[in-house]
Amino acid sequence: MKTAITPTRSENFSEWYQSLIVASDLAENSPVRGCMTIKPYGWAIWELMREEMDRRIKAAGVQNANFPLLIPIEFFNKEAEHVAGFAKECAVVTHHRLKMIDGQLQPDPDSKLTEPYIIRPTSETIIGDAMSRWVQSHRDLPLKLNQWVNVMRWEMRPRMFLRTSEFNWQEGHNVFATHKEANEDARKMHKIYGEYMREVLAIESIMGEKTEEERFAGADKTYTVEQIMQDGKALQAGTSHDLGQHFAKSFNIKFLGTSGKLETAWTTSWGTSTRMMGSLLMVHSDDDGLILPPMVAPHQIVIIPIVRDDDTLVMNNFSQEIGEKLRAKGIRVLVDTSDMRSADKIWKWIKRGVPLRIEIGAREMLNNNLTITRRDIGRDSKQTISVDELLNSASDLLNTIQKDMLSVVQERNKILITDVADLNKLDKYLTDGKIGFFRVNYEQTLDKKFDDLMEKHKISRRCLDDKDPSYVFVAKSY
RNA sequence: CGGGGCGUAGCUCAGUCUGGUAGAGUGCUUGGUUUGGGACCAAGAUGUCGCGUGUUCGAAUCAUGUCGCCCCGACCA
């Protein structure tokens, strides 16, 4: 059978992924190396994802703010581990003026900055600086801030959505009076991320703490939301850090406690990015294109009037009426009255992952019927129902699609997670080409033999198992 | 930054080995027939062959330099 996306997932997963993004019109590579242009349809999905995340963040008592794009190098230099982690991938602003020199526009040597700025790869430092001024008394705590911004990390090998040099994200930064509160906060945000992935993106995640070598630069503990792609590789979709007092000490975030003594605060940071969209694509899509969970679908329903030359106007009007009635129920509906051929419209919206497609033909209109097809199931779900039946059931049907998509992922995860008793078994599975996550006793991975396996099979420790931290999940990753 | 591949029409690519008028498919435009999962016929428009230098009567083709992209590594809270 002909598929909309070539190659297929099984033929070449990474090429399929690139083709999928082009075919569904989400984004394209830009003239700037490592940076992508997110096109209107892709951005519409991101906006829906962002709105729902923002709602949940605010519900956790966090306020939005906005900090500068440029960070003084001296700030960055204050936390040693942090510098070590990020220095290799920072873009630096060194001049503030251009000049025509020998017919070439160049940075004007006379405009060199005495103190260069770096473009934020993350904002712990500049927010830490602000916090040191904003936090004076225990009454100022907790202070919970978030910003939705772009950041830049000069990546060696970019891939659209998964790893781009510039990306959009939210980064939250909270301050507390005690370590207990800070750690609870990091865990709370971690839990919120997991719920969001499940309820909004219909993705079941593997939740847990990062092992020491995978931890954020400057954190005491990092909690991660790991997801399993259809090719079995892991994607880190959101992290939450207990920063201990590393940044509070470096930036002098202190407060007068109830006892009247000056105390050092405790901070957390937590973030999710457009990388989640990469996960959304690689978890749900098939060889015909995107499949969007209704909650983040820009168009939850598309209505395609099947027109002939003589009935175009009446068919389009009838379709618009149904569209209006569905919108009145709070459903995002697109009525595609463009003058493309019907078959082309159908494929266009299949590729773009619209959860529910409605086709209306002339005879159906006379009988007040229409035909619906679910994107997640495809042809087999095609059925003709009455307009009234649709209006009554549309919202429920979208909820059902959302739930069914999650169930598919949960079932697939069961197959893609394998318990292994020892390193020899792990080696054998990987040598045999088994894909997915492997759950291994953590102590065993401290053996040098495990380092060899990591090297041999390009695997890494993804996270400890939340349900039993004496086990660690191991996988190949993006 | 290493190893490999690629750069030719909007897109996918042939042509390069063996130098001699710039090609195909698809898409696009127009007209007609069609229309419930990617239609058909006809006509038409579309190029700095990535860029520079060299060899040559003549370069998409050979040499050399350079830029960019892709894949595999290294790197990646």
Side-chain angles (χ1 to χ4, degrees), chain A residues 182-368:
Chain A
N183 185 262
E184 278 169 5
D185 182 68
R187 288 173 168 280
K188 176 180 164 188
M189 296 320 296
H190 180 236
K191 189 168 167 240
I192 287 173
Y193 285 159
E195 287 166 359
Y196 171 88
M197 305 294 171
R198 184 184 306 113
E199 293 165 12
V200 182
L201 305 186
I203 300 173
E204 188 68 41
S205 308
I206 286 44
M207 312 281 292
E209 188 185 334
K210 280 286 187 194
T211 53
E212 189 181 347
E213 82 282 357
E214 297 281 338
R215 206 176 276 157
F216 178 75
D220 272 359
K221 287 175 182 291
T222 289
Y223 302 97
T224 181
V225 175
E226 300 283 326
Q227 298 174 344
I228 314 178
M229 305 299 105
Q230 289 185 62
D231 62 350
K233 287 199 196 172
L235 189 73
Q236 177 180 307
T239 48
S240 165
H241 316 289
D242 172 354
L243 300 173
Q245 292 184 314
H246 294 221
F247 289 90
K249 280 179 181 161
S250 304
F251 288 89
N252 209 26
I253 307 173
K254 292 185 175 165
F255 63 97
L256 273 177
T258 47
S259 62
K261 274 201 307 198
L262 201 57
E263 295 179 38
T264 300
W266 303 79
T267 63
T268 66
S269 70
W270 31 279
T272 53
S273 71
T274 37
R275 177 184 264 192
M276 281 192 293
M277 278 186 70
S279 182
L280 190 72
L281 303 182
M282 289 198 295
V283 168
H284 291 306
S285 303
D286 66 15
D287 295 334
D288 282 332
L290 253 160
I291 303 177
L292 289 170
M295 284 189 76
V296 294
H299 313 298
Q300 294 170 310
I301 296 179
V302 61
I303 302 179
I304 299 172
I306 308 295
V307 301
R308 295 167 171 277
D309 278 347
D310 53 348
D311 64 6
T312 303
L313 190 63
V314 65
M315 289 302 303
N316 282 350
N317 286 343
F318 183 70
S319 301
Q320 294 285 12
E321 277 176 35
I322 294 170
E324 272 314 310
K325 286 177 185 164
L326 287 167
R327 285 190 196 105
K329 294 175 178 296
I331 297 171
R332 295 186 290 273
V333 183
L334 178 78
V335 182
D336 189 349
T337 55
S338 64
D339 67 356
M340 279 192 286
R341 291 163 26 80
S342 302
D344 290 340
K345 287 186 198 177
I346 289 170
W347 277 106
K348 173 178 174 178
W349 296 114
I350 288 173
K351 285 188 286 193
R352 294 185 188 202
V354 176
L356 190 67
R357 183 175 75 249
I358 296 177
E359 296 162 39
I360 307 175
R363 276 187 307 277
E364 283 176 326
M365 182 179 70
L366 290 177
N367 299 322
N368 220 32

Side-chain angles (χ1 to χ4, degrees), chain A residues 93-136:
Chain A
V93 177
T94 55
H95 294 74
H96 64 80
R97 190 165 63 209
L98 292 172
K99 191 178 181 182
M100 197 66 85
I101 302 172
D102 300 332
Q104 295 284 319
L105 207 49
Q106 295 174 28
D108 183 346
D110 294 336
S111 73
K112 192 164 184 195
L113 299 173
T114 49
E115 170 95 14
Y117 293 109
I118 62 165
I119 299 177
R120 62 180 164 220
T122 178
S123 304
E124 272 77 6
T125 58
I126 198 153
I127 293 181
D129 174 72
M131 285 172 164
S132 70
R133 281 175 283 112
W134 298 354
V135 174
Q136 299 289 331

Side-chain angles (χ1 to χ4, degrees), chain A residues 21-60:
Chain A
I21 290 169
V22 174
S24 54
D25 207 34
L26 297 180
E28 62 182 28
N29 275 316
S30 76
V32 184
R33 189 198 131 76
C35 298
M36 65 175 173
T37 303
I38 302 179
K39 298 177 77 174
Y41 192 63
W43 192 257
I45 296 170
W46 174 240
E47 281 184 333
L48 289 164
M49 289 169 63
R50 198 176 65 178
E51 280 164 23
E52 183 57 28
M53 181 66 85
D54 196 55
R55 200 180 65 73
R56 290 171 186 236
I57 288 171
K58 283 175 180 151

Side-chain angles (χ1 to χ4, degrees), chain A residues 434-450:
Chain A
K434 187 163 178 58
I435 60 168
F437 279 42
F438 299 90
R439 190 169 171 274
V440 199
N441 180 278
Y442 178 62
E443 291 288 329
Q444 289 188 35
T445 70
L446 298 178
D447 193 296
K448 193 189 159 295
K449 251 167 54 186
F450 185 75

